[in-house]
Amino acid sequence: MEAPVFEEFDPESDCDCPGCVARRRAARLSPPVAFGGHPSARRALVVATATAATLGAAHAAPAVAAPHAPDRPGVPAGDEPATPQGRKAPLHGPAGQPARPPGLTGPVRTPPTTRADIVRRAKLWVSAQVPYSMGAYWYDGYRQDCSGFVSMAWNLPGNEWTGSLNQFGTRITKEELQPGDILLFHNASDPEKGSHVVLFGGWTDYTHSYYVVYEQTRPTTRRQATPYAYWSHSDQYIPYRYKGLTSPAPAGPEAGAAGGGGKAAGGSAPTTPFPGRAAFGPGADNAYVTLLGRLLVERGGGRFYGSGPGPRWSAADGRATQAFQLAQGWSGADADGLPGPRTWSLLVTGKGRNIGAGGAGGVAGAGAGSGAAGAPGTPAGARVPAYPGRAVFRPGVRSASVTQLGARLAAKGFGRFYTTGPGPLWGEADRRAVEAFQRAQGWRGGAADGYPGPETWRRLFS
């Protein structure tokens, strides 16, 4: 059965507070009206709607609807978001196209992972404040909705939905929950009513009445304390544990991969030929990806990896590859973060410039029309300065961090927006330069609003 596109939440549909009852009844009584007319017509419509709500309610209700009532005492109103989710789909590439042909079915695959890695991946989206979308895909290939978020955290080979995630897990009890498990509610009889999935991050106290949740919801990914099992439909959430869960592997010497490839001792040439572009990119899972990562780490790309490298292609592989390509002085399609024959040849033979060594080692393309590739990046091993917080980057705010940001934007090739400066006072030139940089990352909409968040900051200074 093909997964439908649906609204996972309908938070006001079953509320019996006077305000919600009045609004629903008014919506049924009022015909659709175009709001392009005279302002007095719009005011008349508002008055008519309020009057209909008052006359139709079973008891007196105010003309202005009362706030939405929480599902149970102690639950703040408005904490249950409306989060539609997309269809079951393969991982997607940067252009929003499937990384492999859709419609191919087969046995359920559960790539091995650890609890620590599940939570680490979830935190990446929280830190990046990934915007919620049922149709957009983040740079790691996963859909930006609740089920795509859990698919990403569990490192699944594709984007699942609430009707299929249970296949990848084993049902457990509340008391067995540990970080990295999920709480899943899929309303099979009517998927539009409440279906949602969240990642369990641990109990907040010994009573086990609240827990830390990681979830993809509007407007962005969030981490917060949540009552068990959720704000609404609490009795219908089922805990699951990922089937591919493993214990952390002990540290040890790295073994060779992909037929013993890699740089031989003394700098002799390896024997591994280029496996082809299909071996890399979102959805790729093979020994060549591991070998690529290890070669990139040897060339100064270790700072891009929180763990690994491993056989499954990740955003870290793409960023490290792009940094190596920029270090060679390449730009545009030649520095797209996907290894081609030239990139592979330089890596396996030990030739070319190392990341951060005399060339453009950062990971950022030039903005539209800038005519420049990335400027010299932070040398390998250098630390990214601490993100100062969103409040610093607002109109009228004066801070040394604004100057630091502007200087970095100019160094990356986005200085054309400044007529003078950059300086400590945040202005429109700063916002436009940040927006151009964000768009160069492939971000659109709210993700490219010109106001730097933690992920924009990290990419600028890495």
Side-chain angles (χ1 to χ4, degrees), residues 35-64:
F35 283 85
H38 193 273
S40 61
R42 291 194 292 271
R43 288 194 295 270
L45 175 62
V46 172
V47 173
T49 302
T51 303
T54 304
L55 294 176
H59 46 75
V64 178

Side-chain angles (χ1 to χ4, degrees), residues 167 229 293 296 317:
Q167 302 175 61
L296 287 166
D317 296 301

Side-chain angles (χ1 to χ4, degrees), residues 121-145:
R121 285 189 287 266
K123 287 181 176 179
L124 288 175
W125 275 35
V126 173
S127 176
Q129 297 191 356
V130 176
Y132 188 93
S133 173
M134 63 177 285
Y137 294 80
W138 197 235
Y139 58 79
D140 53 14
Y142 290 96
R143 193 178 55 244
Q144 295 166 214
D145 58 15

